Amino acid sequence: MKVERIDLYAYYGIEKPNGASGYLDCYIIEKHSEHSQNRLRPAMLVNPGGAYAFVSNREAEPIAIHYLNSGYQAFVLNYSVCPISFPYQLLEGCMAICYVRENASRLNIDKEHVGAVGFSAGGHLTASIATLYNHQKIKEFLGDKVNLCRPDAVILSYPVIAHSEFEHKGSIDNVSGNDETLRELLSLEKRVNKDTPPAFIWTTSEDETVPCENSLVMAMAYKKAGVPFELHVFERGQHGLSRCDQEVNTPNAPASEWLKMSNTWLSQRGFGIKD
């Protein structure tokens, strides 16, 4: 396996704001003599949580390892956090998806099966990429490359979604810079349309940090737009479950089924190793 870190701002020649991050950690399974030389793998971009105040390690490499074990090429986005705000997190997520597609041949990736998974605020970022990848602000940076930025499917894990009575105020405050117009734009259930990629959404009814209503309103928006989705609300579980195992300090056998269920859902959408 090859591991490399890409500075997305340097790669795309975009000036980086002071204090910004925008690094993409790439975990690449290389071809060897026992593989078909035509083997292509799906790709998964991992967006950890952290309320747009930090980037959680528990929802980064452990998740990448899961997807590596499932046959994916995995990428973890170390995105910018407060005081950096919109549009830079979205830009970094779009650059990450675009980078994966532009380098698909070198990285042995099936560029028609590029997904993204996000947790909590990272779920908000993932849903932002899914719904706002072609926003005018992103076009100003990437031009026609925005056509490469749409994920083929997303997994939203106990995501921050709505600017409402159920919002996670810290996340919305941080990403919007307390701008009321941006708070409304970034209430993402209002941004879903027929071109939004399919979603697997999961949460727990016990989550008191990011209430499950965020997931419910997103699922309702998908239903209204006629876009395929799958929703699971597990009964038990605190916020921030990640893989739901001892490695990430949140053992939860019932909710850990999300990993297997989402893999099955992705495979039904054509995600898998192709020889």
Side-chain angles (χ1 to χ4, degrees), residues 192-211:
V192 176
N193 60 43
K194 63 181 178 60
D195 297 320
T196 302
F200 180 99
I201 309 168
W202 73 278
T203 185
T204 71
S205 64
E206 289 186 340
D207 191 335
E208 296 181 355
T209 303
V210 179

Side-chain angles (χ1 to χ4, degrees), residues 244-269:
C244 307
D245 60 19
Q246 192 61 49
E247 178 65 29
V248 294
N249 301 321
T250 54
N252 183 317
S256 69
E257 289 296 308
W258 81 267
L259 291 161
K260 183 188 302 182
M261 295 162 77
S262 63
N263 273 9
T264 299
W265 181 81
L266 287 165
S267 69
Q268 291 171 341
R269 313 208 73 77

